[in-house]
Amino acid sequence: MSKITVKTQPIAGQKPGTSGLRKKTPVFMGPHYLENFVQAIFDTVGTVGKTFVLGGDGRYFNDRAAQVILRMAAANGAKRVIVGQGAVLSTPAASHLIRLNKTDGGIIMSASHNPGGPKEDFGVKFNMPNGGPAPEAVTEAMYKRTTELTEYHILEAQDVDLGTVGRHALGDMVVDVVDPVADYADLMESLFDFDKITAMFAAGFRMRMDSMCAVTGPYAVEILERRLGAAKGTVTHEVPLPDFGGMHPDPNPTWAHELMAEMMGEGAPDFGAASDGDGDRNMVVGRGIYVSPSDSLAVLAANAHLCKGYRAGLKGVARSMPTSAASDRVAASLGIASYETPTGWKFFGNLLDAGNATICGEESFGTGSDHVREKDGLWAILMWLNILAVRGESVEAIVKGHWAKFGRNYYSRHDFEAIATEKADAMMAALRASLASLAGRKLQGMEVSGADDFSYTDPVDGSVSAKQGVRVNFTDGSRIVYRLSGTGTEGATLRVYLERYVPGPDGLDRDAQEALSPVIAAAHELAGIEAFTGKVAPDVVT
Ligand code: G16
């Protein structure tokens, strides 16, 4: 087996977004594309003598990309790579393996909730030794390296057998193929009261888990059906497929419509949940009630102490800026700190490492804790199950009880997809230019109290991330946030985040879109969404 050095040249556009580099699969499969980016990763983080974790969500090209990355790791002098069997690992399981084995980081092959397949999306990201996504300074350094590369290194070798658990050699490098589920399932068992959840299932509690033909299938079957005794068949779409069965593996009411229909229909189970392509997102639904991610974060924060791993209480709660302020109210009542970060799980890493926060969450269906450094879909679903088992109440009773105590932050996100990039940029530029003059403006019977472009100073390392979203606040506590997505692969996606607080006791039980209608109208008027983008209505509403 000999090491080959291949001449290459920089490929434009290899700039990681919100969560790693995501492109159309044919782009990733193009000449040198994957190799250039992986070499940039290795050059940035250093490879000689190091141990990494490797796995992905099993989407199309995952298996072949894994072999390339292994050959490149060996040629660049890595000592050992721990790979999930079949090159598969959910993102939270990869984060756990990085931490458990005290490795030097890991490469995750995933485009998360984006569709997969020969014409869909693929992605690669690097996670640090703490198990979390590389921070901006590191991804910027990787990007810079992609602009100056002239060569990459790769071993001339046959494929490693990734289908069998065990140890293999690749040149001088060791490849350990591990069961992707076992360590993760053990971690969950250490955090939650499996005995109480098992008793709840034994007493007839019914659940539907939609794994959306994505990576969580085997994890959910092992944990829910085998370890916790949920009825066989509780997990649907449980076989991971390279194209996710043609589905869009994004657990929201639009894409997880089968689950929504079941949970809102006759004879619905007690609890429903779904997870995404790589297993870090979650959606939870009760019988007849959808729980928004922002509310889910707040309910979990308020009840975490009921679960085995969190009895000592929380150190703090962190949320991304566009996420509703519902969790801030919980933190205030618990007398703990709350943090507001830019969108992107990577911004929670420092807060978790420093012990400032225990639970984090995002409106984009992400919730997690300091047990790993990624958001974790099954973790959130298990915490809900644990809370349901201890409280013995329905999801609806718990959520409505929460609103009665804290008030309700009506919340919704409207996505306008596949807009021509220049149109979206022009809209954001116009909005930014108007910020200084917005205060005092009256729209839809509301008055703007202030507007800015969110800038974040990390309280741990002092790094500054600017231009993280335009927010417009109103005197009645309502809020509109505008951002362009950093995870799309086609044109631009405009995200408009809408929020309105109602303290109660009246007006807590309205339909969210209806309650938000003046805020929605104001959002269109203020930004000229139709004039700039030609879109009258959002493509996805969550
Ligand atoms: C990623 C990030 C999340 C972020 C989400 C949406 O999630 O890890 O922190 O909230 O994208 O980001 P954007 O609004 O920029 O599209 P995932 O599940 O795609 O890895």
Side-chain angles (χ1 to χ4, degrees):
M1 279 182 235
S2 52
K3 175 178 145 178
I4 306 171
T5 295
V6 180
K7 291 274 165 244
T8 188
Q9 51 191 17
I11 300 174
Q14 294 199 318
K15 189 176 172 62
T18 308
S19 185
L21 183 65
R22 291 184 192 173
K23 297 284 173 195
K24 289 286 167 208
T25 311
V27 174
F28 250 107
M29 293 177 76
H32 307 311
Y33 198 93
L34 171 70
E35 291 84 346
N36 271 21
F37 188 62
V38 171
Q39 189 64 50
I41 292 177
F42 286 153
D43 288 349
T44 305
V45 301
T47 322
V48 177
K50 294 204 167 168
T51 297
F52 298 109
V53 165
L54 174 66
D57 59 18
R59 70 180 59 222
Y60 185 84
F61 189 49
N62 185 105
D63 48 354
R64 280 161 291 163
Q67 299 288 351
V68 170
I69 295 169
L70 285 173
R71 282 199 276 272
M72 289 185 66
N76 280 279
K79 186 172 87 185
R80 180 181 171 220
V81 178
I82 301 167
V83 195
Q85 190 178 12
V88 168
L89 283 175
S90 78
T91 291
S95 181
H96 178 50
L97 282 183
I98 291 170
R99 297 165 64 77
L100 184 70
N101 294 286
K102 301 194 168 34
T103 66
D104 300 293
I107 291 180
I108 300 177
M109 300 167 289
S110 169
S112 191
H113 57 287
N114 298 13
K119 296 198 176 128
E120 299 295 350
D121 293 353
F122 192 78
V124 170
K125 70 171 180 170
F126 183 79
N127 279 32
M128 305 296 280
N130 74 346
E136 265 187 348
V138 178
T139 55
E140 275 303 310
M142 288 170 183
Y143 171 55
K144 183 163 177 291
R145 188 69 194 130
T146 67
T147 63
E148 36 184 63
L149 270 184
T150 55
E151 57 186 33
Y152 62 82
H153 311 293
I154 189 160
L155 206 67
E156 196 177 40
Q158 295 299 329
D159 283 0
V160 180
D161 174 11
L162 299 180
T164 319
V165 168
R167 178 161 283 198
H168 309 272
L170 183 62
D172 296 332
M173 189 177 85
V174 168
V175 178
D176 280 320
V177 181
V178 301
D179 178 333
V181 176
D183 288 321
Y184 176 82
D186 291 348
L187 174 66
M188 292 302 112
E189 202 156 349
S190 75
L191 296 173
F192 298 113
D193 300 289
F194 271 34
D195 51 343
K196 295 192 175 117
I197 305 173
T198 303
M200 179 171 73
F201 278 122
F205 182 90
R206 288 188 305 126
M207 172 179 181
R208 169 71 63 227
M209 166 78 201
D210 189 344
S211 281
M212 304 188 86
C213 300
V215 78
T216 55
Y219 294 84
V221 169
E222 169 64 20
I223 295 171
L224 298 174
E225 297 185 13
R226 295 210 189 94
R227 298 200 186 191
L228 292 168
K232 237 178 164 317
T234 292
V235 187
T236 51
H237 297 126
E238 75 282 12
V239 179
L241 299 172
D243 66 349
F244 307 119
M247 302 203 305
H248 191 144
D250 194 357
N252 63 40
T254 301
W255 297 117
H257 50 86
E258 278 184 42
L259 176 70
M260 288 300 288
E262 185 175 2
M263 295 307 297
M264 300 301 150
E266 288 277 306
D270 300 285
F271 183 58
S275 192
D276 71 329
D278 63 334
D280 56 2
R281 295 184 175 207
N282 75 90
M283 176 175 81
V284 295
V285 201
R287 183 186 295 127
I289 184 169
Y290 161 70
V291 187
S292 80
S294 294
D295 276 347
S296 177
L297 171 67
V299 170
L300 294 185
N303 293 280
H305 63 281
L306 302 176
C307 308
K308 180 161 81 177
Y310 303 87
R311 288 226 164 88
L314 307 178
K315 293 167 187 155
V317 183
R319 64 167 173 88
S320 65
M321 181 275 282
T323 304
S324 94
S327 63
D328 299 4
R329 298 177 194 284
V330 175
S333 92
L334 292 171
I336 57 175
S338 53
Y339 299 88
E340 188 179 37
T341 62
T343 293
W345 203 263
K346 59 193 173 203
F347 292 102
F348 294 133
N350 278 348
L351 297 173
L352 294 168
D353 285 349
N356 291 356
T358 308
I359 285 190
C360 309
E362 294 186 279
E363 51 64 41
S364 56
F365 297 84
T367 345
S369 86
D370 57 1
H371 66 291
V372 290
R373 292 294 180 272
E374 286 279 3
K375 56 187 184 275
D376 188 342
L378 275 168
W379 170 90
I381 292 162
L382 288 165
M383 187 174 257
W384 263 99
L385 283 171
N386 201 149
I387 292 165
L388 290 165
V390 172
R391 289 187 50 168
E393 293 168 80
S394 68
V395 173
E396 182 176 6
I398 290 175
V399 170
K400 291 193 170 164
H402 187 94
W403 293 336
K405 180 170 176 190
F406 294 99
R408 180 172 178 188
N409 290 74
Y410 282 99
Y411 188 85
S412 183
R413 187 179 94 188
H414 289 194
D415 289 344
F416 301 81
E417 295 179 339
I419 303 170
T421 309
E422 55 288 359
K423 290 184 181 172
D425 288 344
M427 195 206 89
M428 290 303 289
L431 204 50
R432 288 194 161 102
S434 73
L435 286 178
S437 62
L438 284 183
R441 183 160 163 199
K442 295 202 174 61
L443 296 128
Q444 304 291 328
M446 305 182 305
E447 183 179 337
V448 176
S449 58
D452 68 356
D453 195 350
F454 181 54
S455 175
Y456 177 65
T457 304
D458 186 301
V460 179
D461 65 18
S463 60
V464 176
S465 302
K467 294 184 108 177
Q468 296 296 322
V470 167
R471 48 183 183 180
V472 182
N473 292 308
F474 294 85
T475 51
D476 69 353
S478 300
R479 184 180 76 150
I480 304 168
V481 175
Y482 304 86
R483 288 183 59 243
L484 298 184
S485 160
T487 56
T489 56
E490 223 175 322
T493 295
L494 167 67
R495 302 207 195 283
V496 183
Y497 309 83
L498 308 139
E499 182 172 357
R500 179 179 198 183
Y501 180 65
V502 175
D506 298 325
L508 295 177
D509 213 6
R510 294 169 68 185
D511 170 73
Q513 301 305 318
E514 188 255 317
L516 287 165
S517 55
V519 188
I520 295 168
H524 280 261
E525 196 179 328
L526 204 63
I529 295 176
E530 188 181 348
F532 276 101
T533 70
K535 297 233 178 199
V536 187
D539 299 286
V540 175
V541 172
T542 57

